[in-house]
Amino acid sequence: MNRTVLLVIAHGSRDPRHAATVQALVRLAGALRPGLRVETAFLDFNLPSVPGVLDRLAADGVRDVVALPLLLTRAFHAKADIPAVLRQAPPSLRIRQAEVLGPSPLLIAAVERRLYEAGLTPGDKSATGVVLASAGSTDPEAIAVIAETARELRRTGWCSVRPAFASASLPRTEDAVRALRAEPGVRRVAVAPYVIAPGRLPDRIAAGAAEADVLADVLGPSPELARLLLERHDAAHAARGAVAHSA
């Protein structure tokens, strides 16, 4: 068997909605490219585990794997946890670690899709302030990417966009909502969770959106995210020299 397998690696959560959402996204990506074998694994809390899936792929005769971190920024999990677990893979596997999902115009499009699904329209943009609420990180690179993503979202025409964080960083969602409310020209405030799947931190974002006018859904199995998974797979597959693990 010579076909490359796309292995999507999610963090995992005790919240059952997390794994269900991840699986739905991966199924959507697979449906967009029927000839590609797509597998899911979790770093923690959920099964199948990354080592378990890698062992199964090796037993199936798979040779090449693209390991895609299901992460929006390059923080600790992408820099340390995932490379560490990939280094323990069976020696018969040749693994390339793909780039994380962000930044990407497709993520901006997915955020806007969720805002429109929550009731906003393109005509509302010029009078609406948006809180781009992420899980949070202590990694300066990840924080900088979130800030730049907020700026990119603002450039699409929203009145104002402020980043916020559910943990590790400030401001919190509720503080960003209040700050936007005080800005001139902002007649309504929307909170856009910049997270992939439900869980404890997304619930914290939702609680912080109590004073907002609109709360969008998590990014979840959106068409844009599914396309982005395939983009990251293709880029890693083409980068023949970027082998994270090989015999």
Side-chain angles (χ1 to χ4, degrees), residues 107-117 125 153 156 158:
L107 288 171
I108 300 294
V111 168
E112 291 202 300
R113 172 187 290 274
R114 296 304 187 220
L115 286 166
Y116 297 150
E117 289 172 350
K125 294 172 86 165
L153 183 61
T156 68
W158 298 95

Side-chain angles (χ1 to χ4, degrees), residues 1 18 35 40 45-46 64 66 88 101 105 110-111 124 133 164 173-174 187 208 210 215 229 238-240:
M1 180 181 297
H18 174 90
T40 310
F45 302 118
N46 302 106
D64 291 292
V66 169
Q88 304 304 313
L101 300 183
V111 168
D124 295 324
T173 302
E174 53 269 32
R187 293 203 293 271
L215 171 62
L229 263 58
R240 293 291 181 183

Side-chain angles (χ1 to χ4, degrees), residues 127-237:
T128 302
V130 177
V131 177
L132 187 71
S134 75
S137 175
T138 57
D139 188 297
E141 179 185 351
I143 297 301
V145 168
I146 297 297
E148 179 56 29
T149 301
R151 288 190 289 269
E152 288 295 327
L153 183 61
R154 167 68 182 81
R155 291 183 189 114
T156 68
W158 298 95
C159 182
S160 182
V161 179
R162 287 176 177 256
F165 307 93
S167 68
S169 311
L170 295 174
R172 294 286 180 259
T173 302
E174 53 269 32
D175 297 324
V177 168
R178 294 181 190 118
L180 279 175
R181 190 77 73 190
E183 284 195 25
V186 173
R187 293 203 293 271
R188 71 184 64 78
V189 175
V191 173
Y194 193 61
V195 291
I196 294 171
R200 178 176 58 88
L201 293 180
D203 283 349
R204 190 178 294 175
I205 289 170
E211 295 179 21
D213 303 295
V214 174
L215 171 62
D217 201 357
V218 299
L219 300 177
S222 66
E224 294 82 5
L225 254 68
R227 285 171 51 203
L228 185 52
L229 263 58
L230 298 177
E231 278 193 8
R232 293 294 186 255
H233 162 270
D234 294 347
H237 184 59

Side-chain angles (χ1 to χ4, degrees), residues 4-141:
T4 299
V5 172
L6 172 59
L7 175 59
V8 179
I9 301 176
H11 181 267
S13 170
R14 292 185 177 89
D15 189 319
R17 297 173 299 167
H18 174 90
T21 301
V22 169
Q23 296 284 9
L25 172 59
V26 172
R27 284 195 301 271
L28 183 56
L32 291 177
R33 190 171 298 177
L36 177 65
R37 179 175 174 181
V38 186
E39 299 276 352
T40 310
F42 297 91
L43 285 173
D44 206 354
F45 302 118
N46 302 106
L47 293 174
S49 68
V50 178
V53 174
L54 292 173
D55 287 345
R56 175 162 51 83
L57 291 176
D60 286 349
V62 170
R63 178 70 174 143
D64 291 292
V65 176
V66 169
L68 171 58
L70 195 65
L71 301 168
L72 297 176
T73 60
R74 264 191 95 250
F76 184 78
H77 295 305
K79 293 177 178 178
D81 287 349
I82 291 176
V85 74
L86 293 179
R87 284 194 292 269
Q88 304 304 313
S92 62
L93 294 177
R94 184 167 51 238
I95 301 175
R96 292 175 178 83
Q97 182 175 328
E99 291 296 328
V100 297
L101 300 183
S104 169
L106 286 170
L107 288 171
I108 300 294
V111 168
E112 291 202 300
R113 172 187 290 274
R114 296 304 187 220
L115 286 166
Y116 297 150
E117 289 172 350
L120 295 171
T121 70
D124 295 324
K125 294 172 86 165
S126 62
T128 302
V130 177
V131 177
L132 187 71
S134 75
S137 175
T138 57
D139 188 297
E141 179 185 351

